[in-house]
Amino acid sequence: MLKILINAYACSPNMGSEPGMAWNWCIHLAKHCELHIITEGEFREQIEVELSKLPQGVNMHFYYNPVSELVRKMCWNQGDWRFYKYYKQWQWKTYQMALEIIRTQKIEIFHQLNMIGFREPGYLWKIKDIPFVWGPIGGLKQFPLTYIKHESFKNQFVYRLKNILNIFQLRYDYRVNKALNKAAALISSIPDSYNAIKKYKYLESTIIPETGCFENIEMSEINRNFDDEVLKIMWVGKFDLRKQLSIAIQAVAQTMNKHIQLEIFGKGSTVQEQTYRSLAKEINVEKQLIWHGSQPNSKILAAMKSAHLFFFSSISDDTSTVVLEAITSNLPVLCFDACGFGYVVNEEVGIKIPLTNPQQSIKDFATKIDYLYHNRHILKEMSENCKERQQELSWDRKAEKMVQLYKRVLEN
């Protein structure tokens, strides 16, 4: 059995996003490999409870490298650039821990798993004689600037600068380039990452979306009737610029159909929430919106089992766990043909529109919603097709691909 040392800063059995992604990679890889996992200590108690329940838990050895509560708050506050200073320190200590581990364990591969952003590759690549694998790698997509033309000067400046810095750091950052060139294998989370690495570094990578589907939901568990008079559309996310909730609200309004209901799960700042509620009132659609606020993952999954359509209006994400959760719940998806979600949502399980500009997108989404409202059989067919897509995107399938990649690395 292969012995793999995994660097996974965020790892938790009871969460989505980065922590849940790392946990699911680990529990599925552990069916094939012996894993030595270095992670931050915030979720230690939950990890150790769940390990005792897993047959493959005997193949998972956790080492904890905790940070302070202040640093944890910085991490959860996405966009707080102060976190990177402490994250870099965490990576250095993880490197030192790895040196200690290999004194007693015959580690065959180092795997830099998460967090997936390309800016922080850690230091495991510095260790000689043990192959280094990095990925899934994310954060290399370019923000579509046509969607911020009417935003404040500050927002426009921030996103334009981020686009420039992404390419600059990929091309010139010392540690990023050392890690890329030392890696025996690179995994891209989405086509944008693959294309950027190929274009600017002339390196090949394998596309494997960072998150996956489960196959344990039976149709009998789904509580939805596609013949209901009201079409229940579900939206999940933070109320930030990337998620484009305003487009979703305006698209529902533009259908001019009062039998369409938009259920919104998530929250933002007080200003953001007031802005979206005011928009709904202004365009006379507030009675069709249900504001659920921030809810635990279990509530989100339960709601997916009764919704008719998942509306993902984000213009800049990698794969996004919530899209895979929708497919897992046999819930058809409406989204942009972009980023990682555009890669995993095909015409069998959803409908996509191109990135253009906000007004055209509102019109395009409204047209698709109206079409699906009057053609419920299409929604039903897409729901039934989710089963096959779940298998194609399953965690087990992803783990098998990764193990094959490990073996090719060792053969070479």
Side-chain angles (χ1 to χ4, degrees), residues 166-193:
N166 276 355
I167 302 306
F168 182 85
Q169 288 182 279
L170 178 63
R171 295 182 71 174
Y172 302 114
D173 185 271
Y174 175 79
R175 283 194 302 126
V176 169
N177 280 276
K178 280 288 187 179
L180 286 171
N181 289 309
K182 175 68 186 296
L186 297 168
I187 302 104
S188 290
S189 62
I190 60 175
D192 301 68
S193 296

PDB file of all heavy atoms in Angstrom, residues 166-193:
ATOM      1  N   ASN A 166      -2.571  37.737 -10.659  1.00  0.00           N
ATOM      2  CA  ASN A 166      -2.628  36.293 -10.897  1.00  0.00           C
ATOM      3  C   ASN A 166      -1.562  35.870 -11.902  1.00  0.00           C
ATOM      4  O   ASN A 166      -0.807  34.916 -11.672  1.00  0.00           O
ATOM      5  CB  ASN A 166      -4.012  35.892 -11.418  1.00  0.00           C
ATOM      6  CG  ASN A 166      -5.021  35.691 -10.307  1.00  0.00           C
ATOM      7  OD1 ASN A 166      -4.693  35.747  -9.130  1.00  0.00           O
ATOM      8  ND2 ASN A 166      -6.262  35.449 -10.675  1.00  0.00           N
ATOM      9  N   ILE A 167      -1.527  36.552 -13.020  1.00  0.00           N
ATOM     10  CA  ILE A 167      -0.570  36.189 -14.066  1.00  0.00           C
ATOM     11  C   ILE A 167       0.853  36.526 -13.642  1.00  0.00           C
ATOM     12  O   ILE A 167       1.793  35.742 -13.867  1.00  0.00           O
ATOM     13  CB  ILE A 167      -0.924  36.905 -15.390  1.00  0.00           C
ATOM     14  CG1 ILE A 167      -2.350  36.534 -15.826  1.00  0.00           C
ATOM     15  CG2 ILE A 167       0.082  36.531 -16.474  1.00  0.00           C
ATOM     16  CD1 ILE A 167      -2.620  35.050 -15.932  1.00  0.00           C
ATOM     17  N   PHE A 168       1.027  37.678 -12.993  1.00  0.00           N
ATOM     18  CA  PHE A 168       2.364  38.077 -12.545  1.00  0.00           C
ATOM     19  C   PHE A 168       2.934  37.060 -11.568  1.00  0.00           C
ATOM     20  O   PHE A 168       4.099  36.634 -11.697  1.00  0.00           O
ATOM     21  CB  PHE A 168       2.297  39.466 -11.896  1.00  0.00           C
ATOM     22  CG  PHE A 168       3.641  39.979 -11.460  1.00  0.00           C
ATOM     23  CD1 PHE A 168       4.473  40.631 -12.355  1.00  0.00           C
ATOM     24  CD2 PHE A 168       4.080  39.796 -10.142  1.00  0.00           C
ATOM     25  CE1 PHE A 168       5.728  41.098 -11.948  1.00  0.00           C
ATOM     26  CE2 PHE A 168       5.320  40.259  -9.733  1.00  0.00           C
ATOM     27  CZ  PHE A 168       6.146  40.912 -10.644  1.00  0.00           C
ATOM     28  N   GLN A 169       2.121  36.651 -10.587  1.00  0.00           N
ATOM     29  CA  GLN A 169       2.605  35.691  -9.595  1.00  0.00           C
ATOM     30  C   GLN A 169       2.866  34.322 -10.210  1.00  0.00           C
ATOM     31  O   GLN A 169       3.831  33.651  -9.843  1.00  0.00           O
ATOM     32  CB  GLN A 169       1.609  35.573  -8.444  1.00  0.00           C
ATOM     33  CG  GLN A 169       1.599  36.796  -7.539  1.00  0.00           C
ATOM     34  CD  GLN A 169       0.645  36.637  -6.369  1.00  0.00           C
ATOM     35  OE1 GLN A 169      -0.552  36.835  -6.505  1.00  0.00           O
ATOM     36  NE2 GLN A 169       1.175  36.283  -5.220  1.00  0.00           N
ATOM     37  N   LEU A 170       2.030  33.919 -11.128  1.00  0.00           N
ATOM     38  CA  LEU A 170       2.250  32.637 -11.791  1.00  0.00           C
ATOM     39  C   LEU A 170       3.566  32.657 -12.567  1.00  0.00           C
ATOM     40  O   LEU A 170       4.315  31.682 -12.565  1.00  0.00           O
ATOM     41  CB  LEU A 170       1.089  32.319 -12.740  1.00  0.00           C
ATOM     42  CG  LEU A 170       1.213  31.025 -13.546  1.00  0.00           C
ATOM     43  CD1 LEU A 170       1.250  29.807 -12.627  1.00  0.00           C
ATOM     44  CD2 LEU A 170       0.051  30.890 -14.527  1.00  0.00           C
ATOM     45  N   ARG A 171       3.860  33.775 -13.187  1.00  0.00           N
ATOM     46  CA  ARG A 171       5.065  33.855 -14.024  1.00  0.00           C
ATOM     47  C   ARG A 171       6.336  34.069 -13.221  1.00  0.00           C
ATOM     48  O   ARG A 171       7.394  33.542 -13.580  1.00  0.00           O
ATOM     49  CB  ARG A 171       4.919  34.976 -15.048  1.00  0.00           C
ATOM     50  CG  ARG A 171       3.805  34.739 -16.059  1.00  0.00           C
ATOM     51  CD  ARG A 171       3.725  35.843 -17.099  1.00  0.00           C
ATOM     52  NE  ARG A 171       4.846  35.795 -18.020  1.00  0.00           N
ATOM     53  CZ  ARG A 171       4.955  36.576 -19.092  1.00  0.00           C
ATOM     54  NH1 ARG A 171       4.022  37.473 -19.369  1.00  0.00           N
ATOM     55  NH2 ARG A 171       6.001  36.469 -19.888  1.00  0.00           N
ATOM     56  N   TYR A 172       6.244  34.841 -12.112  1.00  0.00           N
ATOM     57  CA  TYR A 172       7.484  35.304 -11.485  1.00  0.00           C
ATOM     58  C   TYR A 172       7.668  34.947 -10.010  1.00  0.00           C
ATOM     59  O   TYR A 172       8.771  35.095  -9.500  1.00  0.00           O
ATOM     60  CB  TYR A 172       7.589  36.837 -11.628  1.00  0.00           C
ATOM     61  CG  TYR A 172       7.563  37.287 -13.059  1.00  0.00           C
ATOM     62  CD1 TYR A 172       6.504  38.049 -13.544  1.00  0.00           C
ATOM     63  CD2 TYR A 172       8.595  36.945 -13.943  1.00  0.00           C
ATOM     64  CE1 TYR A 172       6.472  38.463 -14.870  1.00  0.00           C
ATOM     65  CE2 TYR A 172       8.571  37.355 -15.269  1.00  0.00           C
ATOM     66  CZ  TYR A 172       7.503  38.118 -15.724  1.00  0.00           C
ATOM     67  OH  TYR A 172       7.474  38.522 -17.034  1.00  0.00           O
ATOM     68  N   ASP A 173       6.620  34.494  -9.298  1.00  0.00           N
ATOM     69  CA  ASP A 173       6.796  34.181  -7.882  1.00  0.00           C
ATOM     70  C   ASP A 173       7.790  33.032  -7.711  1.00  0.00           C
ATOM     71  O   ASP A 173       7.663  31.971  -8.343  1.00  0.00           O
ATOM     72  CB  ASP A 173       5.459  33.805  -7.248  1.00  0.00           C
ATOM     73  CG  ASP A 173       5.586  33.587  -5.754  1.00  0.00           C
ATOM     74  OD1 ASP A 173       5.876  32.447  -5.333  1.00  0.00           O
ATOM     75  OD2 ASP A 173       5.399  34.564  -5.012  1.00  0.00           O
ATOM     76  N   TYR A 174       8.777  33.240  -6.838  1.00  0.00           N
ATOM     77  CA  TYR A 174       9.872  32.277  -6.689  1.00  0.00           C
ATOM     78  C   TYR A 174       9.375  30.909  -6.251  1.00  0.00           C
ATOM     79  O   TYR A 174       9.671  29.888  -6.894  1.00  0.00           O
ATOM     80  CB  TYR A 174      10.883  32.821  -5.675  1.00  0.00           C
ATOM     81  CG  TYR A 174      11.999  31.850  -5.364  1.00  0.00           C
ATOM     82  CD1 TYR A 174      13.069  31.683  -6.242  1.00  0.00           C
ATOM     83  CD2 TYR A 174      11.985  31.083  -4.197  1.00  0.00           C
ATOM     84  CE1 TYR A 174      14.102  30.786  -5.966  1.00  0.00           C
ATOM     85  CE2 TYR A 174      12.997  30.190  -3.900  1.00  0.00           C
ATOM     86  CZ  TYR A 174      14.056  30.042  -4.787  1.00  0.00           C
ATOM     87  OH  TYR A 174      15.066  29.142  -4.519  1.00  0.00           O
ATOM     88  N   ARG A 175       8.619  30.857  -5.140  1.00  0.00           N
ATOM     89  CA  ARG A 175       8.202  29.544  -4.621  1.00  0.00           C
ATOM     90  C   ARG A 175       7.170  28.867  -5.508  1.00  0.00           C
ATOM     91  O   ARG A 175       7.171  27.645  -5.662  1.00  0.00           O
ATOM     92  CB  ARG A 175       7.665  29.676  -3.196  1.00  0.00           C
ATOM     93  CG  ARG A 175       8.770  29.833  -2.166  1.00  0.00           C
ATOM     94  CD  ARG A 175       8.274  29.626  -0.753  1.00  0.00           C
ATOM     95  NE  ARG A 175       7.223  30.545  -0.416  1.00  0.00           N
ATOM     96  CZ  ARG A 175       6.028  30.177   0.047  1.00  0.00           C
ATOM     97  NH1 ARG A 175       5.731  28.906   0.201  1.00  0.00           N
ATOM     98  NH2 ARG A 175       5.119  31.076   0.362  1.00  0.00           N
ATOM     99  N   VAL A 176       6.281  29.655  -6.103  1.00  0.00           N
ATOM    100  CA  VAL A 176       5.304  29.071  -7.032  1.00  0.00           C
ATOM    101  C   VAL A 176       6.031  28.368  -8.169  1.00  0.00           C
ATOM    102  O   VAL A 176       5.706  27.228  -8.528  1.00  0.00           O
ATOM    103  CB  VAL A 176       4.345  30.152  -7.565  1.00  0.00           C
ATOM    104  CG1 VAL A 176       3.514  29.601  -8.729  1.00  0.00           C
ATOM    105  CG2 VAL A 176       3.422  30.651  -6.456  1.00  0.00           C
ATOM    106  N   ASN A 177       7.041  29.024  -8.706  1.00  0.00           N
ATOM    107  CA  ASN A 177       7.760  28.434  -9.829  1.00  0.00           C
ATOM    108  C   ASN A 177       8.637  27.269  -9.418  1.00  0.00           C
ATOM    109  O   ASN A 177       8.764  26.284 -10.157  1.00  0.00           O
ATOM    110  CB  ASN A 177       8.586  29.518 -10.535  1.00  0.00           C
ATOM    111  CG  ASN A 177       7.726  30.354 -11.460  1.00  0.00           C
ATOM    112  OD1 ASN A 177       7.479  29.977 -12.598  1.00  0.00           O
ATOM    113  ND2 ASN A 177       7.235  31.491 -10.972  1.00  0.00           N
ATOM    114  N   LYS A 178       9.223  27.351  -8.230  1.00  0.00           N
ATOM    115  CA  LYS A 178       9.999  26.213  -7.742  1.00  0.00           C
ATOM    116  C   LYS A 178       9.109  24.983  -7.588  1.00  0.00           C
ATOM    117  O   LYS A 178       9.465  23.872  -7.978  1.00  0.00           O
ATOM    118  CB  LYS A 178      10.646  26.558  -6.398  1.00  0.00           C
ATOM    119  CG  LYS A 178      11.902  27.386  -6.504  1.00  0.00           C
ATOM    120  CD  LYS A 178      13.052  26.555  -7.052  1.00  0.00           C
ATOM    121  CE  LYS A 178      14.359  27.289  -7.017  1.00  0.00           C
ATOM    122  NZ  LYS A 178      15.485  26.469  -7.535  1.00  0.00           N
ATOM    123  N   ALA A 179       7.907  25.191  -7.010  1.00  0.00           N
ATOM    124  CA  ALA A 179       6.982  24.077  -6.794  1.00  0.00           C
ATOM    125  C   ALA A 179       6.478  23.517  -8.117  1.00  0.00           C
ATOM    126  O   ALA A 179       6.405  22.293  -8.294  1.00  0.00           O
ATOM    127  CB  ALA A 179       5.808  24.529  -5.931  1.00  0.00           C
ATOM    128  N   LEU A 180       6.127  24.402  -9.043  1.00  0.00           N
ATOM    129  CA  LEU A 180       5.636  23.942 -10.345  1.00  0.00           C
ATOM    130  C   LEU A 180       6.688  23.106 -11.067  1.00  0.00           C
ATOM    131  O   LEU A 180       6.381  22.047 -11.633  1.00  0.00           O
ATOM    132  CB  LEU A 180       5.245  25.138 -11.212  1.00  0.00           C
ATOM    133  CG  LEU A 180       3.944  25.858 -10.853  1.00  0.00           C
ATOM    134  CD1 LEU A 180       3.817  27.147 -11.656  1.00  0.00           C
ATOM    135  CD2 LEU A 180       2.728  24.972 -11.101  1.00  0.00           C
ATOM    136  N   ASN A 181       7.920  23.557 -11.038  1.00  0.00           N
ATOM    137  CA  ASN A 181       8.969  22.871 -11.782  1.00  0.00           C
ATOM    138  C   ASN A 181       9.477  21.624 -11.082  1.00  0.00           C
ATOM    139  O   ASN A 181       9.978  20.707 -11.731  1.00  0.00           O
ATOM    140  CB  ASN A 181      10.126  23.844 -12.063  1.00  0.00           C
ATOM    141  CG  ASN A 181       9.743  24.898 -13.094  1.00  0.00           C
ATOM    142  OD1 ASN A 181       9.253  24.585 -14.172  1.00  0.00           O
ATOM    143  ND2 ASN A 181       9.936  26.167 -12.761  1.00  0.00           N
ATOM    144  N   LYS A 182       9.357  21.600  -9.754  1.00  0.00           N
ATOM    145  CA  LYS A 182       9.780  20.404  -9.011  1.00  0.00           C
ATOM    146  C   LYS A 182       8.722  19.300  -9.068  1.00  0.00           C
ATOM    147  O   LYS A 182       9.049  18.113  -8.937  1.00  0.00           O
ATOM    148  CB  LYS A 182      10.050  20.792  -7.560  1.00  0.00           C
ATOM    149  CG  LYS A 182      10.392  19.625  -6.634  1.00  0.00           C
ATOM    150  CD  LYS A 182      11.734  19.002  -6.966  1.00  0.00           C
ATOM    151  CE  LYS A 182      11.997  17.750  -6.122  1.00  0.00           C
ATOM    152  NZ  LYS A 182      12.105  18.034  -4.687  1.00  0.00           N
ATOM    153  N   ALA A 183       7.471  19.671  -9.275  1.00  0.00           N
ATOM    154  CA  ALA A 183       6.378  18.700  -9.185  1.00  0.00           C
ATOM    155  C   ALA A 183       6.529  17.582 -10.207  1.00  0.00           C
ATOM    156  O   ALA A 183       6.766  17.823 -11.397  1.00  0.00           O
ATOM    157  CB  ALA A 183       5.039  19.403  -9.379  1.00  0.00           C
ATOM    158  N   ALA A 184       6.357  16.366  -9.728  1.00  0.00           N
ATOM    159  CA  ALA A 184       6.345  15.210 -10.617  1.00  0.00           C
ATOM    160  C   ALA A 184       5.000  15.089 -11.322  1.00  0.00           C
ATOM    161  O   ALA A 184       4.892  14.426 -12.358  1.00  0.00           O
ATOM    162  CB  ALA A 184       6.635  13.944  -9.830  1.00  0.00           C
ATOM    163  N   ALA A 185       3.964  15.717 -10.753  1.00  0.00           N
ATOM    164  CA  ALA A 185       2.639  15.748 -11.377  1.00  0.00           C
ATOM    165  C   ALA A 185       1.892  16.965 -10.857  1.00  0.00           C
ATOM    166  O   ALA A 185       1.977  17.306  -9.681  1.00  0.00           O
ATOM    167  CB  ALA A 185       1.856  14.477 -11.069  1.00  0.00           C
ATOM    168  N   LEU A 186       1.163  17.604 -11.767  1.00  0.00           N
ATOM    169  CA  LEU A 186       0.330  18.754 -11.430  1.00  0.00           C
ATOM    170  C   LEU A 186      -1.121  18.414 -11.742  1.00  0.00           C
ATOM    171  O   LEU A 186      -1.409  17.798 -12.776  1.00  0.00           O
ATOM    172  CB  LEU A 186       0.750  19.985 -12.234  1.00  0.00           C
ATOM    173  CG  LEU A 186       2.160  20.520 -12.002  1.00  0.00           C
ATOM    174  CD1 LEU A 186       2.520  21.548 -13.068  1.00  0.00           C
ATOM    175  CD2 LEU A 186       2.284  21.128 -10.611  1.00  0.00           C
ATOM    176  N   ILE A 187      -2.025  18.833 -10.863  1.00  0.00           N
ATOM    177  CA  ILE A 187      -3.459  18.626 -11.093  1.00  0.00           C
ATOM    178  C   ILE A 187      -4.129  19.989 -11.121  1.00  0.00           C
ATOM    179  O   ILE A 187      -3.985  20.770 -10.175  1.00  0.00           O
ATOM    180  CB  ILE A 187      -4.099  17.754  -9.984  1.00  0.00           C
ATOM    181  CG1 ILE A 187      -3.397  16.397  -9.890  1.00  0.00           C
ATOM    182  CG2 ILE A 187      -5.588  17.552 -10.262  1.00  0.00           C
ATOM    183  CD1 ILE A 187      -2.466  16.289  -8.713  1.00  0.00           C
ATOM    184  N   SER A 188      -4.840  20.287 -12.191  1.00  0.00           N
ATOM    185  CA  SER A 188      -5.597  21.533 -12.296  1.00  0.00           C
ATOM    186  C   SER A 188      -7.035  21.289 -11.878  1.00  0.00           C
ATOM    187  O   SER A 188      -7.644  20.292 -12.266  1.00  0.00           O
ATOM    188  CB  SER A 188      -5.563  22.063 -13.737  1.00  0.00           C
ATOM    189  OG  SER A 188      -4.273  22.524 -14.073  1.00  0.00           O
ATOM    190  N   SER A 189      -7.589  22.246 -11.117  1.00  0.00           N
ATOM    191  CA  SER A 189      -8.967  22.074 -10.653  1.00  0.00           C
ATOM    192  C   SER A 189      -9.973  22.313 -11.766  1.00  0.00           C
ATOM    193  O   SER A 189     -11.047  21.706 -11.776  1.00  0.00           O
ATOM    194  CB  SER A 189      -9.248  23.035  -9.492  1.00  0.00           C
ATOM    195  OG  SER A 189      -9.125  24.385  -9.922  1.00  0.00           O
ATOM    196  N   ILE A 190      -9.659  23.204 -12.690  1.00  0.00           N
ATOM    197  CA  ILE A 190     -10.589  23.588 -13.758  1.00  0.00           C
ATOM    198  C   ILE A 190      -9.801  23.863 -15.036  1.00  0.00           C
ATOM    199  O   ILE A 190      -8.579  24.040 -14.992  1.00  0.00           O
ATOM    200  CB  ILE A 190     -11.420  24.830 -13.370  1.00  0.00           C
ATOM    201  CG1 ILE A 190     -10.513  26.035 -13.103  1.00  0.00           C
ATOM    202  CG2 ILE A 190     -12.288  24.545 -12.152  1.00  0.00           C
ATOM    203  CD1 ILE A 190     -11.263  27.326 -12.821  1.00  0.00           C
ATOM    204  N   PRO A 191     -10.464  23.943 -16.178  1.00  0.00           N
ATOM    205  CA  PRO A 191      -9.749  24.229 -17.426  1.00  0.00           C
ATOM    206  C   PRO A 191      -8.973  25.539 -17.400  1.00  0.00           C
ATOM    207  O   PRO A 191      -7.904  25.631 -18.027  1.00  0.00           O
ATOM    208  CB  PRO A 191     -10.875  24.263 -18.472  1.00  0.00           C
ATOM    209  CG  PRO A 191     -11.923  23.343 -17.920  1.00  0.00           C
ATOM    210  CD  PRO A 191     -11.878  23.562 -16.435  1.00  0.00           C
ATOM    211  N   ASP A 192      -9.488  26.567 -16.693  1.00  0.00           N
ATOM    212  CA  ASP A 192      -8.759  27.845 -16.614  1.00  0.00           C
ATOM    213  C   ASP A 192      -7.376  27.647 -16.021  1.00  0.00           C
ATOM    214  O   ASP A 192      -6.400  28.258 -16.476  1.00  0.00           O
ATOM    215  CB  ASP A 192      -9.541  28.845 -15.757  1.00  0.00           C
ATOM    216  CG  ASP A 192     -10.923  29.134 -16.295  1.00  0.00           C
ATOM    217  OD1 ASP A 192     -11.773  28.225 -16.277  1.00  0.00           O
ATOM    218  OD2 ASP A 192     -11.149  30.254 -16.741  1.00  0.00           O
ATOM    219  N   SER A 193      -7.274  26.825 -14.976  1.00  0.00           N
ATOM    220  CA  SER A 193      -5.965  26.557 -14.357  1.00  0.00           C
ATOM    221  C   SER A 193      -5.066  25.806 -15.327  1.00  0.00           C
ATOM    222  O   SER A 193      -3.884  26.133 -15.483  1.00  0.00           O
ATOM    223  CB  SER A 193      -6.150  25.742 -13.068  1.00  0.00           C
ATOM    224  OG  SER A 193      -6.870  26.470 -12.101  1.00  0.00           O
TER     225      SER A 193
END
